[in-house]
C-alpha cells in the first residue's frame, strides 16, 4: 500500500509519501516514509514476482527500482534498447512511458515493435502484446495483438464507441468502450483474440459510470473472470469465465482502490480529500473468495473479523 500527503485542512508543510508491505497472513512486513516534493507525482508501485517495481513517471526508466518482499530496495537494470516482450514479461507502466519488466534479469525496457499510433497497451503472461491503435482518420480504433514482433491479428472497435483501457491475461483480453467521456461497455475475447463480443449490458449499470475513463477499474482474475467498476463507486464481477453476465460485488466499505492478485481481491477504503477524520471502514480489506466474504486488516497488522469488523485505522 502507498500513501501520499500534501496538506490537511489548513495545515501547510512539505509533502510526504509512504509505503507499507503486508504479508499474506495480514502481518506488517515493512514500512517506510519520507518527505517528498509537493509538486512531484505520488509514487506508484507495481506488484511483480519477488516484490514491487517503483513505476517511473515521465520519460524513460529513470527512477525505477525494486522493493523485495522484505522491503529492501534493490536496483533494476534500465535497458537502453527496446526489447520484444516474451513470456513472463510484465507491463509496469503505460502509456507514458511504456515499460516492461523482465523478472529473469530484473530489468525494465520499452517494448519493441509496438505500433507508432498505439495509445494503450497490455502484455499477457504468454508474451502477447495487445495495443489499442487510434488512427488520425475517421477509421475506427483497433485492438492489435502481436507476439515476438509478429502481428497475429486485429479487431475494430465497434462504432460509435472509442477504445479505452486494455487488460489481458491467459488468452482473455478486454477493452473498455467509451462514448464521449463516459465508459459505456467492454469488448471481450476469451479465445486469444479469434472472436470478440461487445458487452453493453450484462447486468452492469453502465449509466452509473460518471467519473471518466481515468477512474475505471478493469482487471482479470486468474480464472478469466473480468472485474469492472469505478474508483469510489460500484464494482461488478463476471459470473463465470465466459464474461457474458455480471453480478455486483457487495463491498463492506466504499473502496478508493480495488485490485486483484490471482483470485484474491484487495480493497482500500480511505478519505478522498485531506482530513483528520476517519471514513467508514477505513483500511485494507481482503477477499479470498472473489468478494463473497471480506476480512479487515486492522492497524495491528492482523486480519479482523468479517463484514462487522471494527474499522480500525491503518
Amino acid at each position: 500500500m502507498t500513501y501520499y500527503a500534501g496538506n490537511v485542512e489548513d495545515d501547510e508543510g512539505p509533502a510526504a509519501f509512504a509505503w507499507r508491505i503486508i504479508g499474506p497472513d495480514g502481518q506488517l512486513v515493512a514500512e517506510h516514509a519520507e518527505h517528498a516534493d509537493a509538486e512531484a507525482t505520488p509514487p506508484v508501485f507495481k506488484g511483480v514476482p519477488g516484490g514491487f517495481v517503483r513505476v517511473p513517471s515521465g520519460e524513460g526508466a529513470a527512477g525505477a527500482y525494486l522493493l523485495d518482499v522484505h522491503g529492501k530496495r534493490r536496483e533494476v537494470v534500465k535497458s537502453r534498447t527496446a526489447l520484444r516482450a516474451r513470456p513472463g514479461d510484465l507491463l509496469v507502466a503505460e502509456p507514458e512511458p511504456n515499460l516492461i519488466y523482465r523478472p529473469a534479469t530484473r530489468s525494465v525496457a520499452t517494448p519493441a515493435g509496438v505500433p507508432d499510433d498505439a495509445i494503450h497497451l497490455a502484455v499477457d503472461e504468454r508474451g502477447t502484446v495487445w495495443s489499442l491503435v487510434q488512427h488520425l482518420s475517421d477509421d475506427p480504433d483497433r485492438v492489435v495483438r502481436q507476439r515476438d514482433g509478429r502481428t497475429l491479428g486485429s479487431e475494430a472497435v465497434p462504432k460509435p464507441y472509442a477504445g479505452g483501457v486494455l487488460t489481458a491475461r491467459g488468452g482473455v483480453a478486454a477493452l473498455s468502450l467509451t462514448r464521449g467521456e463516459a465508459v459505456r461497455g467492454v469488448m471481450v475475447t476469451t479465445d486469444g483474440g479469434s472472436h470478440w463480443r461487445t458487452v453493453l449490458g450484462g447486468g452492469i449499470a453502465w449509466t452509473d459510470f460518471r467519473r471518466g475513463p481515468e477512474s475505471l477499474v478493469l482487471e482479470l482474475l486468474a480464472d478469466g473472470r473480468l472485474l469492472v467498476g469505478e474508483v469510489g463507486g460500484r464494482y461488478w464481477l463476471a459470473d463465470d469465465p465466459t464474461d457474458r453476465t455480471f453480478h455486483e460485488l457487495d463491498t463492506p466499505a466504499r473502496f478508493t482502490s480495488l485490485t486483484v492478485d490471482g483470485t484474491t481481491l484487495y480493497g482500500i477504503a480511505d478519505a478522498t480529500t485531506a482530513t483528520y477524520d476517519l471514513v467508514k471502514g477505513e483500511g485494507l480489506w481482503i477477499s479470498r473468495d472473489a468478494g463473497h466474504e471480506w476480512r479487515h486488516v486492522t492497524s495491528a497488522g492482523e486480519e479482523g473479523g468479517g463484514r462487522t469488523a471494527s474499522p480500525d485505522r491503518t
Side-chain angles (χ1 to χ4, degrees):
M1 296 186 291
T2 58
Y3 304 81
Y4 180 78
N7 60 70
V8 179
E9 296 173 350
D10 294 330
D11 292 350
E12 294 184 2
F17 85 90
W19 53 258
R20 174 177 286 169
I21 297 175
I22 304 294
D25 57 357
Q27 294 291 327
L28 176 66
V29 174
E31 59 185 356
H32 170 79
E34 64 184 59
H35 290 299
D37 184 346
E39 303 300 323
T41 302
V44 176
F45 290 85
K46 178 85 170 188
V48 299
F52 309 89
V53 170
R54 160 73 158 89
V55 178
S57 59
E59 297 285 337
Y65 59 84
L66 178 74
L67 286 178
D68 67 18
V69 293
H70 304 292
K72 184 175 181 179
R73 179 167 167 166
R74 299 185 180 275
E75 186 178 356
V76 298
V77 178
K78 290 92 172 178
S79 174
R80 297 185 179 183
T81 304
L83 300 176
R84 288 183 178 177
R86 67 187 190 191
D89 288 351
L90 299 168
L91 184 69
V92 294
E94 75 92 31
E96 290 293 339
N98 291 316
L99 289 177
I100 55 173
Y101 174 72
R102 184 159 293 171
T105 57
R106 199 184 293 165
S107 60
V108 291
T110 56
V114 175
D116 293 336
D117 43 6
I119 58 172
H120 286 292
L121 297 178
V123 179
D124 65 24
E125 71 279 10
R126 301 175 180 179
T128 305
V129 178
W130 305 74
S131 56
L132 174 66
V133 174
Q134 187 178 66
H135 301 287
L136 297 178
S137 64
D138 291 334
D139 292 340
D141 296 350
R142 300 192 71 89
V143 179
V144 179
R145 64 186 192 279
Q146 299 168 298
R147 189 179 301 152
D148 196 27
R150 181 169 56 92
T151 298
L152 304 177
S154 68
E155 183 75 13
V157 174
K159 290 185 176 183
Y161 302 100
V165 177
L166 264 172
T167 187
R169 180 173 186 164
V172 181
L175 171 74
S176 65
L177 300 176
T178 62
R179 191 170 185 179
E181 294 298 319
V183 178
R184 286 296 175 258
V186 289
M187 193 170 85
V188 182
T189 177
T190 56
D191 58 6
S194 297
H195 302 88
W196 292 80
R197 64 177 173 275
T198 301
V199 180
L200 302 178
I204 300 175
W206 295 108
T207 54
D208 278 5
F209 288 69
R210 299 187 176 94
R211 299 181 59 194
E214 71 282 354
S215 298
L216 179 70
V217 175
L218 188 69
E219 297 209 34
L220 283 164
L221 277 64
D223 58 12
R225 285 180 293 169
L226 183 65
L227 173 70
V228 185
E230 191 173 48
V231 171
R234 301 163 68 185
Y235 300 90
W236 289 265
L237 180 64
D239 295 325
D240 56 55
T242 65
D243 293 325
R244 295 178 181 275
T245 59
F246 295 76
H247 62 274
E248 186 173 359
L249 288 182
D250 182 13
T251 59
R254 182 178 290 274
F255 291 152
T256 50
S257 68
L258 180 63
T259 190
V260 172
D261 180 39
T263 56
T264 301
L265 306 180
Y266 297 90
I268 292 178
D270 198 2
T272 55
T273 57
T275 177
Y276 287 114
D277 298 326
L278 294 174
V279 300
K280 182 180 179 181
E282 182 169 320
L284 172 65
W285 292 83
I286 300 175
S287 174
R288 305 186 190 280
D289 56 7
H292 294 290
E293 294 291 335
W294 294 87
R295 300 189 69 82
H296 192 215
V297 176
T298 69
S299 57
E302 298 177 352
E303 291 192 30
R307 300 176 187 272
T308 58
S310 60
D312 295 333
R313 188 177 182 87
T314 61

